[in-house]
Amino acid sequence: MNEGRVEEFTREIAALKTSGAKGDTEKRLLALGSLLMIAGVVLAVIGGVQVAGTTNAADQMAAIATGGLLGLVLAVVGAALFLRYSIGRFMRFWAIRLIHEHRSETDRVIAGK
Amino acid sequence: MITESILELRNVSASYGAIEVLHDVTINVRKGEVVALLGPNGAGKTTTIKVACGLMRPISGSLHIAAQDVTGVPANALARVGVCTIPEGRGIFPNLYVRDNIIMAARDRAGIGIIEERSYARFPILKERRDQLAGTLSGGQQQMLSLARGLATDPVVLMLDEMSMGLAPLVVAELYEQVTAIAESGVSVLVVEQFARTVLGVADSAVVLSHGHVRYVGPADALDDETLSRAYLGS
Ligand SMILES: Nc1ncnc2c1ncn2[C@@H]1O[C@H](COP(=O)(O)OP(=O)(O)OP(=O)(O)O)[C@@H](O)[C@H]1O
Ligand SMILES: [Mg+2]
């Protein structure tokens, strides 16, 4: 063990306590992703209704800016967050499952000898 | 500072459902110390390890690591910073090569060479066998590999559950020699064994559990056969 490893360890343990469970952050980001996607779609729909409701070109431009562009950006960012964190979870479960099956397969092969 | 406490269970009680299997257990492992946790079948040794590594939350009492209360911190978080547990039955990947077993275990981003060296330094035989499938190693070598995997994580706390199970006494002695050396480098070690003699030779102190109660705590060399069998019988 290196010099200073215990001090590093002590700091890391302290950080664990203050940062709390990591799973929670992940769940929160996943929820944030879903919210952003919904907000984006809502903005786009509102923008569309506003554009249809007026013949003034300047008002239509403003509606496109909030509804079309901002809505689109929010939806894309939301979708990225959502995918990142839902797939992360899925991949972890999948890896654990693979390892598990791999092991029971080995056990079966050994037992069948 | 050889006296600082690294791992401490303080008045821990634990249960499976409604059945309480640990009652008011207190264990203290200091820096660089080897503590032997002994007791008959079903005494609660594995359960104690589960609490100590964060897998199981005690119903009362607390877990302290590096003098900080970490009761309720999940096992994966503790493992990531250097609390290493080697469970009963080794936990290696038989279909992977020896070196892949070791590399996979590492927690940090030190180079692969450094990680391998950490492990091979103590077990030269594994270096010779690094390109062999882990499942084709002998029982003793597999146990060495699980220890080597533990070392690859650069642990500060190392917990070993029934390491000697199914191995010849000579092999066990060899393994414990390495455990002693690991502790001398500063790692705090908690070893669980059912049969006392092998481990008492290398442990600094011993705790004997029976029916979930601590029956003995003290220096390992003060634990003579009579005290031991009285503690096992729970009187
Ligand atoms: N998953 C579980 N569910 C319910 N009871 C359990 C479970 N695991 C262990 N127990 C019970 O808890 C008690 C302590 O078990 P534990 O595995 O800690 O004993 P041990 O000292 O490790 O024994 P051994 O030397 O056989 O490994 C036993 O009575 C056992 O039957
Ligand atoms: Mg056990």
Side-chain angles (χ1 to χ4, degrees), chain B residues 45-47 88 161-162 192:
Chain B
K45 305 181 296 290
T46 300
T47 309
E88 267 171 296
D161 198 354
E162 308 222 10
V192 164

Side-chain angles (χ1 to χ4, degrees), chain B residues 14 21 26 30 51 120 152 178:
Chain B
V21 296
T26 293
R30 289 184 289 261
V51 172
Y120 295 147
Q178 290 311 321

Side-chain angles (χ1 to χ4, degrees), chain B:
Chain B
M1 282 197 290
I2 201 83
T3 52
E4 48 183 309
S5 171
I6 296 291
L7 175 71
E8 188 186 359
L9 276 78
R10 215 178 271 173
N11 307 106
V12 162
S13 298
S15 67
Y16 294 103
I19 303 166
E20 188 174 317
V21 296
L22 286 185
H23 319 281
D24 202 26
V25 169
T26 293
I27 292 177
N28 199 347
V29 189
R30 289 184 289 261
K31 179 167 183 271
E33 191 182 31
V34 180
V35 174
L37 178 58
L38 308 170
N41 277 127
K45 305 181 296 290
T46 300
T47 309
T48 305
I49 296 270
K50 282 190 198 162
V51 172
C53 72
L55 268 182
M56 215 171 136
R57 205 187 166 126
I59 50 173
S60 66
S62 52
L63 170 66
H64 298 254
I65 293 181
Q68 299 170 77
D69 189 341
V70 291
T71 320
V73 174
N76 58 340
L78 292 176
R80 207 173 296 124
V81 301
V83 177
C84 174
T85 313
I86 297 175
E88 267 171 296
R90 290 164 204 161
I92 59 172
F93 296 96
N95 299 8
L96 296 182
Y97 296 111
V98 167
R99 60 191 305 257
D100 294 339
N101 263 278
I102 289 172
I103 293 163
M104 263 179 64
R107 73 179 188 104
D108 54 8
R109 290 179 187 78
I112 286 176
I114 295 176
I115 290 165
E116 279 192 274
E117 280 323 306
R118 263 184 213 153
S119 311
Y120 295 147
R122 301 223 183 273
F123 303 104
I125 183 78
L126 293 180
K127 188 168 191 173
E128 281 171 38
R129 304 291 166 95
R130 62 210 289 253
D131 295 319
Q132 193 171 324
L133 289 181
T136 62
L137 295 175
S138 74
Q141 289 164 351
Q142 288 187 19
Q143 190 63 64
M144 283 177 200
L145 179 56
S146 67
L147 258 180
R149 276 171 58 81
L151 291 180
T153 67
D154 195 13
V156 173
V157 177
L158 184 61
M159 293 186 258
L160 303 163
D161 198 354
E162 308 222 10
M163 185 174 73
S164 67
M165 196 156 35
L167 299 178
L170 209 63
V171 179
V172 175
E174 213 176 301
L175 282 166
Y176 272 113
E177 221 169 88
Q178 290 311 321
V179 171
T180 313
I182 291 166
E184 272 164 8
S185 80
V187 179
S188 307
V189 187
L190 181 61
V191 277
V192 164
E193 283 291 352
Q194 210 181 115
F195 300 105
R197 278 294 140 236
T198 33
V199 66
L200 280 178
V202 304
D204 300 298
S205 56
V207 176
V208 182
L209 274 184
S210 153
H211 298 291
H213 290 277
V214 173
R215 306 292 184 182
Y216 175 91
V217 193
D221 47 21
L223 191 57
D224 55 56
D225 284 340
E226 205 204 314
T227 322
L228 187 62
S229 48
R230 270 218 315 274
Y232 263 61
L233 295 175
S235 56

